[in-house]
Amino acid sequence: MPNESNRLVSLDVFRGMTVAGMVLVNNPGTWTTIYWPLQHAEWHGWTPTDLIFPFFLFIVGVAIPLALGKRVERGDQRRDLLIKIVYRSVVIFLLGELLAGFPLFNLSTIRLTGVLQRIAICYFLASVIYLTTQPRTTAIIAVALLVGYCLVMKYVPAPGFYVGDLSREGNLAAYLDRRVLGSHIWKGGNHIYDPEGILSTLGALATTLLGVLTGNRLRCKDRSPIEKVAHLFIAGIVCLIIGWIWNAWFPINKALWTSSYVFFTGGLALQFLALCYWLIDIKGYKAWTRPFVFFGVNAIVLFVGTGLMARTMTLIKISRPDGSRQGLQTYIYSHAFASWLSPVNASLAFAITFLLLWLFLMWLLYRKRIIIKI
């Protein structure tokens, strides 16, 4: 088995839970019938699904000090570290473009933003900030991003819309995405807005920097593990309170990645990581964690692999008795699940089965000691 002695197992488990959640919500049997916790909020507000991406970016941030801190302490040249950061960011971004363009790669309309693209950008900027600033400065930058983003969104109107308009079409971030991205914008929003757009990346970067600050705290050698847990819980409560208060003025919104959303989801992430850290790394309750470790140590492989497989299953066509053809994914859903379950349960059962298949594949990689690092 891979050596876990130098890894924070609780972080692998947290990452594994988060990416497993991504796979589950991204691969229902049908998009027409889904249990509400597995759907995003219509606009303002949140559901459990809206916690997944900020949790992952928070984890990306936590991992930065844990990975780069050791190299800085042993005297690695900053130039070498920056080269590694640029390389990793570019690879993750290109993997995002692979998912966006597969299989036709129409360069005139291929989406330039997305989950992996945002991860790449936030990882790059947060890593550079970590290498070039002290924790206090990192915190100031994060707060400045959130306050500045809020002020811009509330007081700078998009041309043709009123001041403070936070609707899908009328907010400044959506207007900027339409003007800059053009035909490369997210198609799921009818070309109106992009949930991983340009301006909202400011909030996403703040989420990642909150993770960096948390990673710094976990690396602190003059605090006991229990003290670290207490600090994470207290910080999480403070962030939740700030998020709820800010929500009244700048509503919690995943698509806009609002400042209240950053504090609210960051507070929950802090508390969940503290719980995992206490249970797993302090108390030693690890037996239940194995499936999530399998997912967590190869999270990018899981995300890209499931994305490509899901797309491929829609391209493979199966002939029906009436001569028509349907995608392999629809065929499997209809015959293996919808034939004996209610639509919503069939949709969930398909997603769970898909996830279990990939759990088996990730277990095979783990068993062969294969951890694909980017």
Side-chain angles (χ1 to χ4, degrees), residues 7-26:
R7 300 183 70 95
L8 192 63
V9 180
S10 56
L11 190 63
D12 283 334
V13 171
F14 191 9
R15 186 188 298 109
M17 289 181 172
T18 303
V19 74
M22 283 185 180
V23 174
L24 189 69
V25 302
N26 287 344

mmCIF file with all atom_site columns, all heavy atoms in Angstrom, residues 7-26:
data_model
loop_
_atom_site.group_PDB
_atom_site.id
_atom_site.type_symbol
_atom_site.label_atom_id
_atom_site.label_alt_id
_atom_site.label_comp_id
_atom_site.label_asym_id
_atom_site.label_entity_id
_atom_site.label_seq_id
_atom_site.pdbx_PDB_ins_code
_atom_site.Cartn_x
_atom_site.Cartn_y
_atom_site.Cartn_z
_atom_site.occupancy
_atom_site.B_iso_or_equiv
_atom_site.pdbx_formal_charge
_atom_site.auth_seq_id
_atom_site.auth_comp_id
_atom_site.auth_asym_id
_atom_site.auth_atom_id
_atom_site.pdbx_PDB_model_num
ATOM 1   N N   . ARG A 1 7  ? 1.595   11.761 5.010   1.00 0.00 ? 7  ARG A N   1
ATOM 2   C CA  . ARG A 1 7  ? 0.380   12.388 4.540   1.00 0.00 ? 7  ARG A CA  1
ATOM 3   C C   . ARG A 1 7  ? -0.550  12.652 5.717   1.00 0.00 ? 7  ARG A C   1
ATOM 4   O O   . ARG A 1 7  ? -0.551  11.919 6.699   1.00 0.00 ? 7  ARG A O   1
ATOM 5   C CB  . ARG A 1 7  ? -0.336  11.511 3.507   1.00 0.00 ? 7  ARG A CB  1
ATOM 6   C CG  . ARG A 1 7  ? 0.477   11.196 2.269   1.00 0.00 ? 7  ARG A CG  1
ATOM 7   C CD  . ARG A 1 7  ? -0.344  10.384 1.289   1.00 0.00 ? 7  ARG A CD  1
ATOM 8   N NE  . ARG A 1 7  ? -1.394  11.179 0.690   1.00 0.00 ? 7  ARG A NE  1
ATOM 9   C CZ  . ARG A 1 7  ? -1.282  11.793 -0.487  1.00 0.00 ? 7  ARG A CZ  1
ATOM 10  N NH1 . ARG A 1 7  ? -0.169  11.691 -1.185  1.00 0.00 ? 7  ARG A NH1 1
ATOM 11  N NH2 . ARG A 1 7  ? -2.282  12.494 -0.970  1.00 0.00 ? 7  ARG A NH2 1
ATOM 12  N N   . LEU A 1 8  ? -1.334  13.698 5.594   1.00 0.00 ? 8  LEU A N   1
ATOM 13  C CA  . LEU A 1 8  ? -2.377  13.964 6.562   1.00 0.00 ? 8  LEU A CA  1
ATOM 14  C C   . LEU A 1 8  ? -3.598  13.170 6.106   1.00 0.00 ? 8  LEU A C   1
ATOM 15  O O   . LEU A 1 8  ? -4.300  13.568 5.171   1.00 0.00 ? 8  LEU A O   1
ATOM 16  C CB  . LEU A 1 8  ? -2.675  15.464 6.617   1.00 0.00 ? 8  LEU A CB  1
ATOM 17  C CG  . LEU A 1 8  ? -3.525  15.979 7.765   1.00 0.00 ? 8  LEU A CG  1
ATOM 18  C CD1 . LEU A 1 8  ? -2.821  15.745 9.100   1.00 0.00 ? 8  LEU A CD1 1
ATOM 19  C CD2 . LEU A 1 8  ? -3.832  17.453 7.584   1.00 0.00 ? 8  LEU A CD2 1
ATOM 20  N N   . VAL A 1 9  ? -3.838  12.037 6.742   1.00 0.00 ? 9  VAL A N   1
ATOM 21  C CA  . VAL A 1 9  ? -4.877  11.116 6.278   1.00 0.00 ? 9  VAL A CA  1
ATOM 22  C C   . VAL A 1 9  ? -6.243  11.790 6.289   1.00 0.00 ? 9  VAL A C   1
ATOM 23  O O   . VAL A 1 9  ? -7.062  11.582 5.389   1.00 0.00 ? 9  VAL A O   1
ATOM 24  C CB  . VAL A 1 9  ? -4.896  9.829  7.135   1.00 0.00 ? 9  VAL A CB  1
ATOM 25  C CG1 . VAL A 1 9  ? -5.982  8.876  6.647   1.00 0.00 ? 9  VAL A CG1 1
ATOM 26  C CG2 . VAL A 1 9  ? -3.536  9.148  7.082   1.00 0.00 ? 9  VAL A CG2 1
ATOM 27  N N   . SER A 1 10 ? -6.510  12.610 7.295   1.00 0.00 ? 10 SER A N   1
ATOM 28  C CA  . SER A 1 10 ? -7.804  13.282 7.364   1.00 0.00 ? 10 SER A CA  1
ATOM 29  C C   . SER A 1 10 ? -8.043  14.166 6.145   1.00 0.00 ? 10 SER A C   1
ATOM 30  O O   . SER A 1 10 ? -9.181  14.286 5.670   1.00 0.00 ? 10 SER A O   1
ATOM 31  C CB  . SER A 1 10 ? -7.901  14.122 8.637   1.00 0.00 ? 10 SER A CB  1
ATOM 32  O OG  . SER A 1 10 ? -6.828  15.044 8.728   1.00 0.00 ? 10 SER A OG  1
ATOM 33  N N   . LEU A 1 11 ? -6.984  14.774 5.611   1.00 0.00 ? 11 LEU A N   1
ATOM 34  C CA  . LEU A 1 11 ? -7.144  15.612 4.427   1.00 0.00 ? 11 LEU A CA  1
ATOM 35  C C   . LEU A 1 11 ? -7.432  14.755 3.198   1.00 0.00 ? 11 LEU A C   1
ATOM 36  O O   . LEU A 1 11 ? -8.249  15.127 2.347   1.00 0.00 ? 11 LEU A O   1
ATOM 37  C CB  . LEU A 1 11 ? -5.887  16.459 4.202   1.00 0.00 ? 11 LEU A CB  1
ATOM 38  C CG  . LEU A 1 11 ? -6.017  17.556 3.137   1.00 0.00 ? 11 LEU A CG  1
ATOM 39  C CD1 . LEU A 1 11 ? -7.063  18.580 3.555   1.00 0.00 ? 11 LEU A CD1 1
ATOM 40  C CD2 . LEU A 1 11 ? -4.677  18.243 2.914   1.00 0.00 ? 11 LEU A CD2 1
ATOM 41  N N   . ASP A 1 12 ? -6.767  13.602 3.086   1.00 0.00 ? 12 ASP A N   1
ATOM 42  C CA  . ASP A 1 12 ? -7.076  12.674 1.994   1.00 0.00 ? 12 ASP A CA  1
ATOM 43  C C   . ASP A 1 12 ? -8.528  12.218 2.060   1.00 0.00 ? 12 ASP A C   1
ATOM 44  O O   . ASP A 1 12 ? -9.216  12.127 1.035   1.00 0.00 ? 12 ASP A O   1
ATOM 45  C CB  . ASP A 1 12 ? -6.154  11.455 2.044   1.00 0.00 ? 12 ASP A CB  1
ATOM 46  C CG  . ASP A 1 12 ? -4.758  11.730 1.512   1.00 0.00 ? 12 ASP A CG  1
ATOM 47  O OD1 . ASP A 1 12 ? -4.618  12.648 0.675   1.00 0.00 ? 12 ASP A OD1 1
ATOM 48  O OD2 . ASP A 1 12 ? -3.812  11.042 1.934   1.00 0.00 ? 12 ASP A OD2 1
ATOM 49  N N   . VAL A 1 13 ? -9.001  11.930 3.271   1.00 0.00 ? 13 VAL A N   1
ATOM 50  C CA  . VAL A 1 13 ? -10.382 11.476 3.447   1.00 0.00 ? 13 VAL A CA  1
ATOM 51  C C   . VAL A 1 13 ? -11.357 12.592 3.080   1.00 0.00 ? 13 VAL A C   1
ATOM 52  O O   . VAL A 1 13 ? -12.351 12.370 2.367   1.00 0.00 ? 13 VAL A O   1
ATOM 53  C CB  . VAL A 1 13 ? -10.615 11.005 4.891   1.00 0.00 ? 13 VAL A CB  1
ATOM 54  C CG1 . VAL A 1 13 ? -12.096 10.729 5.143   1.00 0.00 ? 13 VAL A CG1 1
ATOM 55  C CG2 . VAL A 1 13 ? -9.791  9.757  5.180   1.00 0.00 ? 13 VAL A CG2 1
ATOM 56  N N   . PHE A 1 14 ? -11.089 13.794 3.557   1.00 0.00 ? 14 PHE A N   1
ATOM 57  C CA  . PHE A 1 14 ? -11.932 14.954 3.235   1.00 0.00 ? 14 PHE A CA  1
ATOM 58  C C   . PHE A 1 14 ? -11.963 15.166 1.724   1.00 0.00 ? 14 PHE A C   1
ATOM 59  O O   . PHE A 1 14 ? -13.024 15.393 1.123   1.00 0.00 ? 14 PHE A O   1
ATOM 60  C CB  . PHE A 1 14 ? -11.389 16.180 3.962   1.00 0.00 ? 14 PHE A CB  1
ATOM 61  C CG  . PHE A 1 14 ? -12.300 17.390 3.934   1.00 0.00 ? 14 PHE A CG  1
ATOM 62  C CD1 . PHE A 1 14 ? -13.600 17.310 3.464   1.00 0.00 ? 14 PHE A CD1 1
ATOM 63  C CD2 . PHE A 1 14 ? -11.828 18.617 4.390   1.00 0.00 ? 14 PHE A CD2 1
ATOM 64  C CE1 . PHE A 1 14 ? -14.424 18.429 3.445   1.00 0.00 ? 14 PHE A CE1 1
ATOM 65  C CE2 . PHE A 1 14 ? -12.643 19.738 4.384   1.00 0.00 ? 14 PHE A CE2 1
ATOM 66  C CZ  . PHE A 1 14 ? -13.938 19.646 3.903   1.00 0.00 ? 14 PHE A CZ  1
ATOM 67  N N   . ARG A 1 15 ? -10.794 15.096 1.091   1.00 0.00 ? 15 ARG A N   1
ATOM 68  C CA  . ARG A 1 15 ? -10.715 15.247 -0.365  1.00 0.00 ? 15 ARG A CA  1
ATOM 69  C C   . ARG A 1 15 ? -11.489 14.128 -1.068  1.00 0.00 ? 15 ARG A C   1
ATOM 70  O O   . ARG A 1 15 ? -12.214 14.373 -2.036  1.00 0.00 ? 15 ARG A O   1
ATOM 71  C CB  . ARG A 1 15 ? -9.254  15.240 -0.822  1.00 0.00 ? 15 ARG A CB  1
ATOM 72  C CG  . ARG A 1 15 ? -9.080  15.538 -2.305  1.00 0.00 ? 15 ARG A CG  1
ATOM 73  C CD  . ARG A 1 15 ? -7.650  15.332 -2.758  1.00 0.00 ? 15 ARG A CD  1
ATOM 74  N NE  . ARG A 1 15 ? -6.707  16.216 -2.082  1.00 0.00 ? 15 ARG A NE  1
ATOM 75  C CZ  . ARG A 1 15 ? -5.815  15.811 -1.183  1.00 0.00 ? 15 ARG A CZ  1
ATOM 76  N NH1 . ARG A 1 15 ? -5.747  14.524 -0.841  1.00 0.00 ? 15 ARG A NH1 1
ATOM 77  N NH2 . ARG A 1 15 ? -4.998  16.669 -0.630  1.00 0.00 ? 15 ARG A NH2 1
ATOM 78  N N   . GLY A 1 16 ? -11.335 12.900 -0.557  1.00 0.00 ? 16 GLY A N   1
ATOM 79  C CA  . GLY A 1 16 ? -12.032 11.774 -1.156  1.00 0.00 ? 16 GLY A CA  1
ATOM 80  C C   . GLY A 1 16 ? -13.540 11.906 -1.044  1.00 0.00 ? 16 GLY A C   1
ATOM 81  O O   . GLY A 1 16 ? -14.273 11.616 -2.002  1.00 0.00 ? 16 GLY A O   1
ATOM 82  N N   . MET A 1 17 ? -14.029 12.339 0.112   1.00 0.00 ? 17 MET A N   1
ATOM 83  C CA  . MET A 1 17 ? -15.464 12.555 0.274   1.00 0.00 ? 17 MET A CA  1
ATOM 84  C C   . MET A 1 17 ? -15.969 13.622 -0.696  1.00 0.00 ? 17 MET A C   1
ATOM 85  O O   . MET A 1 17 ? -17.042 13.482 -1.302  1.00 0.00 ? 17 MET A O   1
ATOM 86  C CB  . MET A 1 17 ? -15.768 12.998 1.706   1.00 0.00 ? 17 MET A CB  1
ATOM 87  C CG  . MET A 1 17 ? -15.613 11.916 2.749   1.00 0.00 ? 17 MET A CG  1
ATOM 88  S SD  . MET A 1 17 ? -16.027 12.568 4.391   1.00 0.00 ? 17 MET A SD  1
ATOM 89  C CE  . MET A 1 17 ? -16.016 11.064 5.359   1.00 0.00 ? 17 MET A CE  1
ATOM 90  N N   . THR A 1 18 ? -15.179 14.672 -0.846  1.00 0.00 ? 18 THR A N   1
ATOM 91  C CA  . THR A 1 18 ? -15.596 15.788 -1.687  1.00 0.00 ? 18 THR A CA  1
ATOM 92  C C   . THR A 1 18 ? -15.647 15.388 -3.157  1.00 0.00 ? 18 THR A C   1
ATOM 93  O O   . THR A 1 18 ? -16.628 15.671 -3.858  1.00 0.00 ? 18 THR A O   1
ATOM 94  C CB  . THR A 1 18 ? -14.628 16.970 -1.499  1.00 0.00 ? 18 THR A CB  1
ATOM 95  O OG1 . THR A 1 18 ? -14.594 17.335 -0.120  1.00 0.00 ? 18 THR A OG1 1
ATOM 96  C CG2 . THR A 1 18 ? -15.075 18.165 -2.310  1.00 0.00 ? 18 THR A CG2 1
ATOM 97  N N   . VAL A 1 19 ? -14.614 14.725 -3.655  1.00 0.00 ? 19 VAL A N   1
ATOM 98  C CA  . VAL A 1 19 ? -14.607 14.346 -5.068  1.00 0.00 ? 19 VAL A CA  1
ATOM 99  C C   . VAL A 1 19 ? -15.636 13.246 -5.320  1.00 0.00 ? 19 VAL A C   1
ATOM 100 O O   . VAL A 1 19 ? -16.235 13.190 -6.409  1.00 0.00 ? 19 VAL A O   1
ATOM 101 C CB  . VAL A 1 19 ? -13.190 13.924 -5.516  1.00 0.00 ? 19 VAL A CB  1
ATOM 102 C CG1 . VAL A 1 19 ? -12.806 12.560 -4.975  1.00 0.00 ? 19 VAL A CG1 1
ATOM 103 C CG2 . VAL A 1 19 ? -13.074 13.945 -7.037  1.00 0.00 ? 19 VAL A CG2 1
ATOM 104 N N   . ALA A 1 20 ? -15.888 12.379 -4.340  1.00 0.00 ? 20 ALA A N   1
ATOM 105 C CA  . ALA A 1 20 ? -16.957 11.388 -4.482  1.00 0.00 ? 20 ALA A CA  1
ATOM 106 C C   . ALA A 1 20 ? -18.306 12.094 -4.613  1.00 0.00 ? 20 ALA A C   1
ATOM 107 O O   . ALA A 1 20 ? -19.166 11.677 -5.407  1.00 0.00 ? 20 ALA A O   1
ATOM 108 C CB  . ALA A 1 20 ? -16.965 10.439 -3.289  1.00 0.00 ? 20 ALA A CB  1
ATOM 109 N N   . GLY A 1 21 ? -18.491 13.162 -3.844  1.00 0.00 ? 21 GLY A N   1
ATOM 110 C CA  . GLY A 1 21 ? -19.709 13.956 -3.970  1.00 0.00 ? 21 GLY A CA  1
ATOM 111 C C   . GLY A 1 21 ? -19.833 14.574 -5.350  1.00 0.00 ? 21 GLY A C   1
ATOM 112 O O   . GLY A 1 21 ? -20.926 14.619 -5.933  1.00 0.00 ? 21 GLY A O   1
ATOM 113 N N   . MET A 1 22 ? -18.712 15.050 -5.893  1.00 0.00 ? 22 MET A N   1
ATOM 114 C CA  . MET A 1 22 ? -18.721 15.604 -7.247  1.00 0.00 ? 22 MET A CA  1
ATOM 115 C C   . MET A 1 22 ? -19.203 14.572 -8.260  1.00 0.00 ? 22 MET A C   1
ATOM 116 O O   . MET A 1 22 ? -20.050 14.855 -9.107  1.00 0.00 ? 22 MET A O   1
ATOM 117 C CB  . MET A 1 22 ? -17.313 16.071 -7.636  1.00 0.00 ? 22 MET A CB  1
ATOM 118 C CG  . MET A 1 22 ? -16.854 17.372 -7.040  1.00 0.00 ? 22 MET A CG  1
ATOM 119 S SD  . MET A 1 22 ? -15.240 17.838 -7.738  1.00 0.00 ? 22 MET A SD  1
ATOM 120 C CE  . MET A 1 22 ? -14.931 19.377 -6.889  1.00 0.00 ? 22 MET A CE  1
ATOM 121 N N   . VAL A 1 23 ? -18.646 13.375 -8.170  1.00 0.00 ? 23 VAL A N   1
ATOM 122 C CA  . VAL A 1 23 ? -19.001 12.313 -9.110  1.00 0.00 ? 23 VAL A CA  1
ATOM 123 C C   . VAL A 1 23 ? -20.475 11.951 -8.963  1.00 0.00 ? 23 VAL A C   1
ATOM 124 O O   . VAL A 1 23 ? -21.188 11.754 -9.962  1.00 0.00 ? 23 VAL A O   1
ATOM 125 C CB  . VAL A 1 23 ? -18.116 11.070 -8.883  1.00 0.00 ? 23 VAL A CB  1
ATOM 126 C CG1 . VAL A 1 23 ? -18.575 9.911  -9.765  1.00 0.00 ? 23 VAL A CG1 1
ATOM 127 C CG2 . VAL A 1 23 ? -16.654 11.411 -9.184  1.00 0.00 ? 23 VAL A CG2 1
ATOM 128 N N   . LEU A 1 24 ? -20.959 11.884 -7.737  1.00 0.00 ? 24 LEU A N   1
ATOM 129 C CA  . LEU A 1 24 ? -22.348 11.496 -7.493  1.00 0.00 ? 24 LEU A CA  1
ATOM 130 C C   . LEU A 1 24 ? -23.322 12.501 -8.099  1.00 0.00 ? 24 LEU A C   1
ATOM 131 O O   . LEU A 1 24 ? -24.281 12.114 -8.783  1.00 0.00 ? 24 LEU A O   1
ATOM 132 C CB  . LEU A 1 24 ? -22.587 11.364 -5.993  1.00 0.00 ? 24 LEU A CB  1
ATOM 133 C CG  . LEU A 1 24 ? -23.924 10.757 -5.571  1.00 0.00 ? 24 LEU A CG  1
ATOM 134 C CD1 . LEU A 1 24 ? -23.983 9.283  -5.944  1.00 0.00 ? 24 LEU A CD1 1
ATOM 135 C CD2 . LEU A 1 24 ? -24.125 10.923 -4.061  1.00 0.00 ? 24 LEU A CD2 1
ATOM 136 N N   . VAL A 1 25 ? -23.083 13.793 -7.879  1.00 0.00 ? 25 VAL A N   1
ATOM 137 C CA  . VAL A 1 25 ? -24.038 14.796 -8.366  1.00 0.00 ? 25 VAL A CA  1
ATOM 138 C C   . VAL A 1 25 ? -23.892 15.051 -9.866  1.00 0.00 ? 25 VAL A C   1
ATOM 139 O O   . VAL A 1 25 ? -24.835 15.526 -10.511 1.00 0.00 ? 25 VAL A O   1
ATOM 140 C CB  . VAL A 1 25 ? -23.888 16.130 -7.595  1.00 0.00 ? 25 VAL A CB  1
ATOM 141 C CG1 . VAL A 1 25 ? -24.094 15.913 -6.108  1.00 0.00 ? 25 VAL A CG1 1
ATOM 142 C CG2 . VAL A 1 25 ? -22.544 16.790 -7.860  1.00 0.00 ? 25 VAL A CG2 1
ATOM 143 N N   . ASN A 1 26 ? -22.721 14.732 -10.432 1.00 0.00 ? 26 ASN A N   1
ATOM 144 C CA  . ASN A 1 26 ? -22.505 14.976 -11.860 1.00 0.00 ? 26 ASN A CA  1
ATOM 145 C C   . ASN A 1 26 ? -22.990 13.849 -12.751 1.00 0.00 ? 26 ASN A C   1
ATOM 146 O O   . ASN A 1 26 ? -22.993 13.995 -13.982 1.00 0.00 ? 26 ASN A O   1
ATOM 147 C CB  . ASN A 1 26 ? -21.012 15.205 -12.141 1.00 0.00 ? 26 ASN A CB  1
ATOM 148 C CG  . ASN A 1 26 ? -20.525 16.550 -11.664 1.00 0.00 ? 26 ASN A CG  1
ATOM 149 O OD1 . ASN A 1 26 ? -21.323 17.444 -11.394 1.00 0.00 ? 26 ASN A OD1 1
ATOM 150 N ND2 . ASN A 1 26 ? -19.219 16.703 -11.539 1.00 0.00 ? 26 ASN A ND2 1
#
